[in-house]
Amino acid sequence: MTPEVPPKITYRAQPEYPASLRKKNATGTVGVSFVVGADGSVTSASVDSSSGYPEMDAAALAAVYEYTFSPALNSSGRPVACGSHTNIHFAVR
């Protein structure tokens, strides 16, 4: 079911770059699917596209769990849970 109004991010936590991977100049992208609850918090999340580095994947998941949203709204204007997806990129700068 697609909500009438999609969730809007109000806080996007920056993932902590794993020190062991930073030293190696490792880069990657982690695809994360997650559910935004009716209260705007992330209630569940999973990696659906791995970076190839378990530590990087774990850092991406931890960051997504800290995101907050204004929740999705149904056609009656009531907050509802909604699925979403993001890609988190890691690059040494």
Side-chain angles (χ1 to χ4, degrees), residues 16-92:
E16 187 167 325
Y17 209 122
S20 61
L21 297 177
R22 182 180 293 279
K23 288 179 185 177
K24 296 177 185 177
N25 290 324
T27 62
T29 300
V30 183
V32 180
S33 291
F34 57 96
V35 175
V36 177
D39 66 352
S41 68
V42 174
T43 60
S44 65
S46 62
V47 172
D48 57 25
S49 177
S50 175
S51 65
Y53 300 102
E55 306 98 311
M56 199 175 282
D57 295 350
L61 274 178
V64 167
Y65 272 110
E66 292 182 31
Y67 287 10
T68 58
F69 294 81
S70 57
L73 303 175
N74 66 15
S75 59
S76 301
R78 294 179 190 248
V80 293
C82 179
S84 193
H85 179 273
T86 192
N87 290 314
I88 298 178
H89 307 283
F90 289 84
V92 178

